[in-house]
Amino acid sequence: MASKAARVPGSFWVIALLSLLWNAYGAFDYTMTQLDAEALMGHFSAEERAYFTSFPAWHTAFWALGVWGSVAGSLLLLARSRWAVAAFLVSLVGVVVTTIYAAVKPMPSSLGGPGYWFVSAVIWIILLALLAYSRKALSRGYIA
């Protein structure tokens, strides 16, 4: 197994930093939604806000796993820790559950259109890419 002193390419640092920036936005969105912050939530109609505030606690917990698991994964990549893989797996569990919930719980039509599902697809693609990348980084000794 490669040591933690293995030389990593510059692209590793770029990907790890970009992943943190991407996931920091998710953390911002989650936090602002949970706080019902007017700066973000003020852009939504009463019906849309009611949808967001109607999530059961278990959904919010899985949403938190999805968001904070990815933030942790990005930070752990930057720290060159093998635990990045586990953190991205935790995030994947959160994304699976919240995606299923979104697919079965009726949401206002203004939220559930093609734009919503496009953004969801982008989240899935990036998360799966980060999970694969962290596994590749582990196998190459970039993280240990």
Side-chain angles (χ1 to χ4, degrees):
M1 183 163 99
S3 73
K4 197 163 179 127
R7 180 165 160 74
V8 298
S11 60
F12 172 86
W13 299 109
V14 171
I15 291 167
L17 184 59
L18 288 175
S19 77
L20 181 59
L21 293 173
W22 166 259
N23 289 312
Y25 177 77
F28 170 79
D29 181 66
Y30 171 85
T31 302
M32 296 294 277
T33 302
Q34 292 307 303
L35 295 174
D36 197 22
E38 195 61 32
L40 176 71
M41 300 304 287
H43 299 284
F44 293 104
S45 70
E47 178 188 25
E48 292 165 340
R49 280 177 98 151
Y51 172 76
F52 291 120
T53 59
S54 72
F55 293 153
W58 63 264
H59 173 275
T60 302
F62 279 101
W63 185 12
L65 287 176
V67 169
W68 300 109
S70 281
V71 170
S74 296
L75 290 170
L76 290 164
L77 268 182
L78 285 167
R80 297 184 60 201
S81 171
R82 70 176 40 250
W83 291 100
V85 176
F88 286 125
L89 283 170
V90 167
S91 180
L92 183 60
V93 170
V95 170
V96 166
V97 172
T98 57
T99 300
I100 292 169
Y101 181 84
V104 298
K105 176 164 173 43
M107 67 176 77
S109 59
S110 57
L111 292 176
Y116 172 84
W117 294 107
F118 175 78
V119 171
S120 291
V122 169
I123 290 168
W124 270 90
I125 290 166
I126 292 174
L127 176 56
L128 291 173
L130 288 171
L131 176 58
Y133 186 77
S134 63
R135 292 183 66 175
K136 183 178 173 181
L138 180 61
S139 72
R140 291 189 175 174
Y142 302 161
I143 59 177

